[in-house]
Amino acid sequence: MTATVSESRKSGFFFDFDGTIAPIMRDPGAVLPVPGAVERLQALSSLVGRVAVVSARPAAFLCERFSRAPQVALFGLYGMQTVVDGQVRTDAEAEPWAPVMRGLAADAARDLPGEILIEDKALLVSLHYRSVPALRGAVERWASAKAAELGLREQHGRMVVELRPPVERDKGTVIAREAESLTRAWYFGDDISDGRAFDVLRCREEHDAGFMGVSVAVANGETGDELARRADFTVDSPEDTPVLLDQVISAFPGHPPPALTLDG
Ligand SMILES: [Mg+2]
């Protein structure tokens, strides 16, 4: 913490969204950040060089949730979307895959049982089996066959399989680029895809003696154990992330944590 405060302008705080600063819910469209998270990220963004959210969510979804934190950078669809001056920009390499992904979403709706929630995010299709965990195997087999047929990437997560274009974008590539000019970087995540960001921080530490990475895992009974084993710190739930951030914020001289509000 002291090292981060002393190099605050060269420090960055990066966050996954679902399961990290927001609860996991059966209806993904209904999810909001946990109370106090937006305020903490905004407060941090005035204290350190970079604060960003890196998620599989579309950037437009993140923009709605973080409208009160304008200094927080937002990366959607694993970095295939960024927000520049309030406008969502889509990666030029990923964009040509839109028709393939549209076809995939239609195939999923036709082939998979009705209980599977299909989220069509234009360049990423999420297949949620949370309401019927017994269908996991069937969903994974279907997704693997489609990934092989269409040349797509597969990402497994908490009760979800995601398919996306084969472009080099993931939480690790985003963090590697974002942390390039930083000497301190913290990453908060809860799921398998967040392990890529942990790896990037660890690798940078091994090759750069002046760099310090801090990996924070948000525990969960689904995929959280593996990530927790590799983390520097673990918090018990998304609701505890603002509590940890309060400790960080209050380590900065003259900066008490912001007052908690009920609307997130
Ligand atoms: Mg997550």
Side-chain angles (χ1 to χ4, degrees), residues 15-22 24 54-56 78 158 171 187-194 218 220 223 227:
F15 300 87
D16 163 52
F17 181 72
D18 292 279
T20 297
I21 50 173
I24 298 286
V54 189
S55 171
Y78 291 104
R158 295 175 64 180
K171 291 175 180 178
Y187 184 88
F188 294 68
D190 73 308
D191 206 349
I192 298 162
S193 66
D194 299 304
V218 181
N220 67 77
T223 59
L227 205 65

